[in-house]
Amino acid sequence: MAALSEYHAQRNSLIDADLSLRREYRNLHSRSSKELEADKIMRDIRALEAKTVWTADYPSIPHPFPGMEFLTGKSIIMKTKVFEILSKMPKGALLHAHLDATVDIDFLLQLALKQPGIHIRLHKPLSKSNLSTNLPEFRILPQEQYSQVKSISDPTYSLQTWVSLVNARNFFSQELGGMEGFDKWLIGTMTINPSEAYGTYNTLAKIWDKFGTVFQTSTNLFHIEPIFVEYVRQFFRSMIADGISYVEARINFTPKLMYGADGQLNVPHRTWLQIFERVMNEIREEMKQQSRGDDFIGARIIYSVVRSATPEELVWYLEDCITLKKEYPHLVAGFDLVGPENVLNPLIYYAEQLLRFQERQKEESLDIPFIFHAGETTGDGTEADSNLYDAILLGTKRIGHGYSLHRHPKLVEECRQKGIAVEVCPISNEILRLTSSMPMHPLPALLNYGVPVALCSDDPAVFGSMGLTYDFFQVFVASEITGLSTLGALARDSIEFSTLEKAEKERALGVFERRWSEFVEYIVVEYGAK
Amino acid sequence: MAALSEYHAQRNSLIDADLSLRREYRNLHSRSSKELEADKIMRDIRALEAKTVWTADYPSIPHPFPGMEFLTGKSIIMKTKVFEILSKMPKGALLHAHLDATVDIDFLLQLALKQPGIHIRLHKPLSKSNLSTNLPEFRILPQEQYSQVKSISDPTYSLQTWVSLVNARNFFSQELGGMEGFDKWLIGTMTINPSEAYGTYNTLAKIWDKFGTVFQTSTNLFHIEPIFVEYVRQFFRSMIADGISYVEARINFTPKLMYGADGQLNVPHRTWLQIFERVMNEIREEMKQQSRGDDFIGARIIYSVVRSATPEELVWYLEDCITLKKEYPHLVAGFDLVGPENVLNPLIYYAEQLLRFQERQKEESLDIPFIFHAGETTGDGTEADSNLYDAILLGTKRIGHGYSLHRHPKLVEECRQKGIAVEVCPISNEILRLTSSMPMHPLPALLNYGVPVALCSDDPAVFGSMGLTYDFFQVFVASEITGLSTLGALARDSIEFSTLEKAEKERALGVFERRWSEFVEYIVVEYGAK
């Protein structure tokens, strides 16, 4: 039937036209035959696992499906071949991660236990029933103030008294689980578990409350110099292990000082940058020693301030950022405002100061791009949603989250035309209840509209989603359009839209292409027809 | 600061440009001062109720919010002034509703109890623990087969034996709640309750199972001529009471016959249309008698077939549709395929037959537009998602649901340019778990991209969302951009994109404008500054 074959031809053109803006479509027809083969292999494994791994019977998971709630599905994800393969994928750059939420909480706790000065205290008595909401406070004390108190869980414990972390752990009441119970309790206060995300705090507004307490507790430990040093080191090591070769980490500079090893609050921002740089160089050296120099291109910092600052306070931070940029131009990648957009101040509130900041940069011949969080919301026309207008008008280099961006025709067009990439954080969005699961996430709309996207992990320590493999996994299994080449395009764009200088970027992209070929080869050799 | 005021000017233009495709923006500046005032009043009430009604403490609703899960939030919705006001709004046309799910189940049960021939039977013994899953079967029997058995809940009940509905109810075991328990049981089998939607069946795939049993049970009663007559009458009456003045109802013609009053399966499709027309005329007369002739413009039928038919079977239905269209051109509005898109056959499966149908129409000089369900899915690139390509290529007049449409740049453009309206069913989408709540619904994207939209109720009897007020409510409270004028544009578009002939449409639009002015006046008088 001629009409039918003509219909099929029209249909193919319509689909092509519809998908033609996608970033991977630019090179779709120049892909190597190896990549085509690997793409097919990955699609086949995905299809097979959707029917096997994802339909199997799991006692504690009533109805699993690909792209399901991450915290519940994680144990299944880890059983899949797709996950195993993606863990070996070169990921390009990590462009959106809050440094204070990037290292495994287990590891952080081990770091803290190694520091004899670290103490813990409580503001209400600990009991079995309040373990999950009784938040501890940490501090490093000067040696002369080290505490001799043994237990914080004993009925004799006097509230607000500091106890050394080691003692608190060693003498943790057996009723509350002893040392194991102690670790479990602390880890619980610094992470989000499934029953919290999908039960107790199962709304946008409520989960931010839990999220806030998580940061309140963990940054207590993070802001201690000897821990900070090892934290940064572990972050670099773990990201490299996951195939990430470059990072632009957001550091919250709202606190003006962190604690030194001497127990004094005396370590200024400048030292934070020096530590970051020193550790980065050490890791570079470490990688070179292992003949893996190319696996770590480097790291930069996005200077961030919590959006609860007054406009006057913000001016201080903007000047601080300028000062640091002058001294460490290769370290300061950009500027951002952080914290819940629906609760704290919108960008427009700071318009005057932010415009002035741009003038100041001209005066100082500096370039500190804005890299704003905006539109991390399901709201339509709310302040958080409207932050997208300001971010773009203020010339943001990228958009953090941009969850509501796909709804805005003009802004989508601007992002595509001006090359404003969106830092999409799939697992973060889902755990923070912007979306219930991956199939409902707006990422496919952004991709089809040709907006450049970099996948990011946001706060992997809080979510237990270390690296980028989990995020790539969730994206890959929730769309039939997305294939291996889509993942490649996402990884390339993470480098392309970084703040790396031209020469550095070319090197990073060159390294990426070599690693990508190896990855494609690995898929074909390991999983192809034998 | 000059830079700041210039910034604000740029910001306003950007927002205007971004929203300029919205349908209500075409007439934004020609709105009456009354409408501007009413719009402001509605926004103020919405903002106030967000802070009062929606933050109050409800014992059984842990964390209410505007646009929350409908089945849980319904009792709060009904307390709001917004709901009270919207219930008086003229809604225009209802373009997407499955006739067999449009009348309150309570009412359907009353209708059935009035028919002495209606019998009920069970295939497994009824017990307290299986009430919600033990599905009854209904039939009208010929008088000579009327049953003398008294009870279906008694231990002596012999399975598969017919019992008259009246007896089954009168003698329903006290242990199971007596007559009240009987009603509750039957209503439960024909509706979806919160714990089913948000607990037991809380995924797309699972809720369709429940949805299927609901239809299986209720259409048993619907397909009995004397009930059908009164069902259609009640549907018209209740839609008019909610301010809907015209309807294009989907009727599932897959069963070729329904039962007559004589208990025989002998009522053909042609008679279904005759009944529909007769009742429509009676209601017209009834409305004229009440001097409300303008409140009911009329009704048409979208001939629908379940997408499990074989291509050969489909040909029979397409010819049947042509035959009926020839005899009742004013009744047959279009053709559609229904049923779960992810489970049954995609449109492409029937491409040959559907193309041939268009040829046949030319031969017969008929115009029976396709009005296809398509994209009722969160899938990306799945068969259900790809139905959008076929619907548009086959020249669909409107798209039923189009839930995944917003992801498709080319298709969004086609809809806007060719005037293909989307029948958006907010409450249906949420209960069928495409979205978890209204703030996550893609409707705002479609509106911002200028796609014409008609809000629809889909299966109000199953959801307990009779009329269109609930759907308009959910849309209004979940977006700050959406105002009264947006709702007006949605209602106008429901008429504009109906299949009414030019003259009928003009009349309907004229009537609508008069009623809209009265509605605006009512808001200002009742709720404006006194």
Side-chain angles (χ1 to χ4, degrees):
Chain A
M1 190 185 176
L4 193 61
S5 67
E6 194 190 314
Y7 179 81
H8 278 281
Q10 282 175 358
R11 188 177 196 265
N12 289 337
S13 331
L14 180 61
I15 296 175
D16 270 355
D18 192 42
L19 302 179
S20 64
L21 297 173
R22 286 175 72 93
R23 303 276 302 168
E24 78 268 31
Y25 269 58
R26 293 170 307 161
N27 308 310
L28 206 63
H29 300 292
S30 60
R31 286 180 298 173
S32 68
S33 59
K34 274 269 164 65
E35 179 160 336
L36 286 172
E37 196 182 340
D39 187 81
K40 168 99 173 48
I41 291 168
M42 289 297 286
R43 288 174 186 272
D44 289 348
I45 296 175
R46 175 173 67 192
L48 181 68
E49 291 189 332
K51 282 189 223 148
T52 53
V53 186
W54 290 105
T55 57
D57 210 14
Y58 302 95
S60 61
I61 307 172
H63 189 73
F65 60 94
M68 73 180 293
E69 296 82 350
F70 173 71
L71 298 175
T72 312
K74 185 176 170 185
S75 62
I76 303 178
I77 291 173
M78 294 171 72
K79 291 193 218 308
T80 64
K81 276 195 188 138
V82 167
F83 181 77
E84 189 187 315
I85 297 169
L86 292 183
S87 70
K88 299 193 170 58
M89 174 182 148
K91 310 293 192 305
L94 171 57
L95 299 182
H96 189 120
H98 298 273
L99 184 63
D100 46 352
T102 55
V103 166
D104 205 66
I105 300 296
D106 254 326
F107 192 93
L108 173 60
L109 203 54
Q110 294 312 311
L111 285 182
L113 286 163
K114 280 182 205 146
Q115 295 292 330
I118 303 232
H119 287 66
I120 181 171
R121 68 173 181 179
L122 284 173
H123 299 269
K124 53 184 181 185
L126 206 56
S127 69
K128 248 186 177 161
S129 63
N130 77 6
L131 264 179
S132 68
T133 53
N134 198 342
L135 305 178
E137 190 183 346
F138 301 105
R139 236 190 87 180
I140 185 163
L141 294 179
Q143 197 159 357
E144 63 275 16
Q145 292 176 31
Y146 282 11
S147 165
Q148 298 312 313
V149 179
K150 296 275 186 224
S151 165
I152 47 160
S153 54
D154 201 84
T156 63
Y157 171 70
S158 159
L159 291 177
Q160 314 216 15
T161 308
W162 292 108
V163 183
S164 87
L165 191 65
V166 173
N167 277 343
R169 183 172 190 270
N170 287 343
F171 297 96
F172 201 59
S173 132
Q174 287 304 321
E175 243 176 73
L176 299 175
M179 285 191 280
E180 207 182 309
F182 180 81
D183 295 351
K184 211 176 138 192
W185 165 50
L186 288 192
I187 291 168
T189 63
M190 292 184 267
T191 53
I192 296 178
N193 68 42
S195 86
E196 288 165 341
Y198 311 132
T200 328
Y201 304 98
N202 184 22
T203 69
L204 204 55
K206 287 178 107 182
I207 195 76
W208 266 103
D209 290 347
K210 165 72 189 179
F211 202 56
T213 70
V214 159
F215 273 93
Q216 186 192 316
T217 308
S218 61
T219 52
N220 251 319
L221 285 175
F222 175 80
H223 283 134
I224 294 170
E225 184 181 344
I227 291 188
F228 181 78
V229 175
E230 295 312 311
Y231 192 102
V232 172
R233 191 186 316 278
Q234 175 62 14
F235 170 50
F236 290 151
R237 283 183 180 150
S238 67
M239 64 171 241
I240 294 167
D242 194 57
I244 300 165
S245 57
Y246 168 74
V247 65
E248 292 179 2
R250 278 166 171 86
I251 298 185
N252 175 10
F253 285 98
T254 297
K256 294 183 180 170
L257 298 165
M258 67 166 68
Y259 283 91
D262 58 3
Q264 304 299 331
L265 190 64
N266 59 9
V267 183
H269 291 170
R270 194 167 167 274
T271 311
W272 305 13
L273 266 69
Q274 288 169 336
I275 295 170
F276 191 87
E277 181 169 44
R278 192 182 77 224
V279 176
M280 177 174 74
N281 288 333
E282 286 165 6
I283 294 285
R284 266 208 188 105
E285 202 44 49
E286 188 175 302
M287 295 306 290
K288 274 187 200 146
Q289 298 288 331
Q290 300 171 28
S291 309
R292 293 176 60 202
D294 279 350
D295 289 2
F296 184 56
I297 304 289
R300 307 183 80 184
I301 291 163
I302 299 171
Y303 188 109
S304 306
V305 182
V306 177
R307 58 201 321 133
S308 55
T310 64
E312 295 69 32
E313 285 165 350
L314 184 65
V315 171
W316 185 90
Y317 289 108
L318 292 167
E319 286 301 320
D320 184 46
C321 180
I322 286 174
T323 307
L324 294 172
K325 177 72 181 179
K326 283 199 248 181
E327 196 171 357
Y328 302 96
H330 53 288
L331 279 188
V332 177
F335 182 87
D336 189 15
L337 287 159
V338 299
E341 291 179 73
N342 279 318
V343 179
L344 305 179
N345 298 317
L347 291 177
I348 187 71
Y349 180 71
Y350 301 112
E352 189 173 338
Q353 292 70 37
L354 296 170
L355 289 168
R356 177 78 190 114
F357 180 57
Q358 295 180 320
E359 289 305 310
R360 288 281 297 117
Q361 289 181 58
K362 281 184 206 156
E363 289 164 21
E364 303 276 355
S365 301
L366 294 173
D367 178 25
I368 312 173
F370 291 130
I371 307 178
F372 283 133
H373 275 73
E376 187 184 3
T377 183
T378 57
D380 189 42
T382 58
E383 286 188 343
D385 184 32
S386 300
N387 276 338
L388 288 166
Y389 294 119
D390 295 294
I392 287 175
L393 272 178
L394 289 165
T396 199
K397 176 166 174 55
R398 299 190 301 263
I399 293 172
H401 290 290
Y403 190 87
S404 64
L405 175 67
H406 70 289
R407 297 172 166 179
H408 297 280
K410 186 67 188 164
L411 303 186
V412 163
E413 194 189 323
E414 295 257 317
C415 287
R416 183 173 61 242
Q417 288 181 353
K418 294 187 176 159
I420 302 168
V422 182
E423 302 159 353
V424 172
C425 308
I427 290 173
S428 169
N429 296 157
E430 182 261 296
I431 293 178
L432 293 184
R433 307 279 77 200
L434 292 163
T435 184
S436 295
S437 63
M438 277 312 294
M440 296 184 196
H441 196 285
L443 175 62
L446 287 183
L447 296 178
N448 284 348
Y449 272 95
V451 174
V453 166
L455 293 189
C456 306
S457 58
D458 204 10
D459 308 288
V462 181
F463 310 137
S465 59
M466 309 312 297
L468 276 172
T469 301
Y470 291 109
D471 286 286
F472 272 92
F473 180 94
Q474 289 290 72
V475 164
F476 182 70
V477 298
S479 160
E480 300 289 313
I481 297 176
T482 291
L484 184 68
S485 304
T486 314
L487 304 188
L490 289 165
R492 276 181 198 95
D493 277 351
S494 69
I495 299 169
E496 184 67 44
F497 294 90
S498 71
T499 66
L500 284 170
E501 309 298 325
K502 191 161 181 290
E504 295 169 311
K505 199 179 279 182
E506 274 167 17
R507 180 187 157 221
L509 283 167
V511 168
F512 177 82
E513 294 307 336
R514 181 183 53 68
R515 296 182 70 183
W516 182 257
S517 298
E518 288 166 11
F519 175 58
V520 164
E521 178 75 22
Y522 149 77
I523 296 174
V524 172
V525 169
E526 286 290 316
Y527 298 94
K530 298 263 157 85
Chain B
M1 192 185 176
L4 193 62
S5 65
E6 193 191 313
Y7 179 81
H8 278 279
Q10 283 174 358
R11 189 177 196 265
N12 290 337
S13 333
L14 181 61
I15 296 176
D16 270 355
D18 192 43
L19 302 179
S20 63
L21 297 173
R22 287 175 71 92
R23 303 275 303 168
E24 78 269 31
Y25 269 57
R26 294 171 306 162
N27 308 310
L28 206 63
H29 300 294
S30 59
R31 287 181 297 175
S32 68
S33 59
K34 274 271 164 62
E35 180 160 336
L36 286 173
E37 196 183 339
D39 188 81
K40 169 99 173 48
I41 291 168
M42 289 298 286
R43 287 175 186 272
D44 289 348
I45 296 174
R46 174 173 69 191
L48 181 68
E49 291 189 333
K51 282 189 225 147
T52 54
V53 185
W54 290 104
T55 57
D57 210 13
Y58 301 95
S60 60
I61 307 171
H63 189 73
F65 61 94
M68 73 180 293
E69 296 83 348
F70 173 71
L71 298 174
T72 311
K74 185 176 170 185
S75 61
I76 303 179
I77 292 174
M78 294 170 73
K79 291 191 216 310
T80 64
K81 277 196 187 138
V82 167
F83 182 76
E84 189 187 315
I85 296 170
L86 292 183
S87 70
K88 300 195 169 61
M89 175 183 147
K91 309 292 193 307
L94 171 57
L95 299 183
H96 190 118
H98 298 275
L99 185 63
D100 47 352
T102 55
V103 165
D104 204 66
I105 300 296
D106 254 326
F107 191 92
L108 173 61
L109 203 54
Q110 294 313 312
L111 285 181
L113 285 163
K114 278 182 206 146
Q115 295 292 330
I118 303 233
H119 288 65
I120 180 172
R121 68 174 181 179
L122 285 173
H123 299 268
K124 53 184 179 184
L126 205 55
S127 69
K128 248 186 178 162
S129 63
N130 77 6
L131 264 179
S132 69
T133 53
N134 198 340
L135 305 179
E137 191 184 344
F138 301 104
R139 236 190 86 180
I140 186 161
L141 295 179
Q143 196 158 358
E144 63 276 18
Q145 293 176 30
Y146 281 11
S147 165
Q148 297 311 314
V149 179
K150 296 273 186 224
S151 166
I152 48 161
S153 54
D154 201 83
T156 63
Y157 171 70
S158 159
L159 290 178
Q160 312 216 20
T161 308
W162 291 110
V163 183
S164 87
L165 191 65
V166 172
N167 276 343
R169 183 173 190 267
N170 287 343
F171 297 96
F172 201 59
S173 133
Q174 287 304 320
E175 242 176 75
L176 299 176
M179 286 192 279
E180 207 181 311
F182 180 81
D183 296 351
K184 214 177 137 190
W185 165 50
L186 289 192
I187 291 168
T189 63
M190 292 184 266
T191 53
I192 297 178
N193 68 41
S195 86
E196 288 165 341
Y198 311 133
T200 328
Y201 304 98
N202 183 22
T203 69
L204 205 54
K206 288 179 106 181
I207 195 77
W208 266 103
D209 291 345
K210 165 71 189 178
F211 202 54
T213 69
V214 160
F215 273 92
Q216 186 193 316
T217 308
S218 61
T219 52
N220 251 320
L221 284 175
F222 175 79
H223 283 133
I224 295 170
E225 184 181 344
I227 291 188
F228 182 77
V229 176
E230 295 313 311
Y231 193 101
V232 173
R233 190 186 315 281
Q234 175 62 14
F235 170 49
F236 289 151
R237 282 183 181 152
S238 67
M239 64 169 241
I240 294 168
D242 194 56
I244 300 164
S245 55
Y246 169 75
V247 66
E248 292 179 4
R250 278 168 170 84
I251 297 185
N252 175 10
F253 284 99
T254 297
K256 294 183 181 171
L257 298 166
M258 66 166 70
Y259 282 90
D262 58 3
Q264 304 299 329
L265 191 63
N266 58 9
V267 184
H269 291 171
R270 193 167 167 274
T271 311
W272 304 13
L273 265 68
Q274 288 168 336
I275 294 170
F276 191 87
E277 181 170 46
R278 191 182 78 224
V279 175
M280 178 174 74
N281 289 333
E282 286 165 7
I283 293 284
R284 267 212 189 102
E285 203 42 51
E286 187 175 303
M287 294 306 290
K288 274 188 200 145
Q289 298 287 332
Q290 300 172 29
S291 309
R292 294 176 58 202
D294 280 349
D295 289 3
F296 184 55
I297 304 290
R300 307 183 80 184
I301 291 163
I302 300 171
Y303 188 109
S304 306
V305 182
V306 178
R307 57 202 319 135
S308 54
T310 64
E312 295 70 33
E313 285 166 351
L314 184 64
V315 171
W316 185 91
Y317 288 109
L318 291 168
E319 286 301 321
D320 184 46
C321 180
I322 285 175
T323 307
L324 293 172
K325 177 72 181 178
K326 282 200 249 181
E327 195 171 357
Y328 301 96
H330 53 290
L331 278 189
V332 177
F335 181 87
D336 190 15
L337 286 158
V338 300
E341 291 179 73
N342 279 318
V343 180
L344 305 179
N345 298 319
L347 291 176
I348 188 72
Y349 181 71
Y350 302 112
E352 190 174 336
Q353 291 71 36
L354 296 170
L355 288 169
R356 176 79 190 115
F357 180 57
Q358 294 180 321
E359 289 306 311
R360 286 281 296 118
Q361 289 181 58
K362 280 184 205 157
E363 288 164 20
E364 303 277 356
S365 299
L366 293 173
D367 178 24
I368 312 174
F370 292 131
I371 308 179
F372 283 133
H373 276 72
E376 187 185 3
T377 183
T378 56
D380 190 42
T382 58
E383 286 188 342
D385 184 33
S386 299
N387 276 337
L388 288 167
Y389 294 119
D390 294 295
I392 287 175
L393 272 178
L394 289 165
T396 198
K397 174 162 175 62
R398 299 190 301 263
I399 294 172
H401 291 291
Y403 190 87
S404 64
L405 176 68
H406 71 288
R407 296 171 167 179
H408 297 280
K410 186 68 188 164
L411 303 186
V412 162
E413 194 189 321
E414 294 258 315
C415 287
R416 184 174 60 240
Q417 286 180 355
K418 294 187 177 158
I420 302 169
V422 181
E423 303 160 351
V424 172
C425 308
I427 290 173
S428 169
N429 295 157
E430 182 261 298
I431 293 178
L432 293 184
R433 308 279 75 200
L434 292 165
T435 184
S436 296
S437 63
M438 277 311 294
M440 295 183 194
H441 195 285
L443 174 61
L446 288 183
L447 296 178
N448 284 348
Y449 272 95
V451 174
V453 167
L455 292 189
C456 306
S457 57
D458 204 10
D459 309 288
V462 181
F463 310 137
S465 59
M466 310 310 298
L468 276 173
T469 301
Y470 291 109
D471 286 287
F472 272 92
F473 180 93
Q474 288 290 72
V475 165
F476 182 70
V477 298
S479 160
E480 299 288 314
I481 296 176
T482 291
L484 184 67
S485 304
T486 314
L487 304 188
L490 289 164
R492 276 181 200 95
D493 276 351
S494 68
I495 299 170
E496 185 66 44
F497 294 90
S498 71
T499 65
L500 284 171
E501 310 297 325
K502 192 162 179 289
E504 295 170 311
K505 199 179 279 183
E506 275 168 18
R507 179 186 157 223
L509 283 168
V511 169
F512 177 81
E513 293 306 336
R514 181 181 54 69
R515 295 181 70 181
W516 182 257
S517 298
E518 287 167 9
F519 175 59
V520 164
E521 178 74 22
Y522 149 78
I523 296 174
V524 172
V525 169
E526 286 290 316
Y527 297 94
K530 299 263 157 84

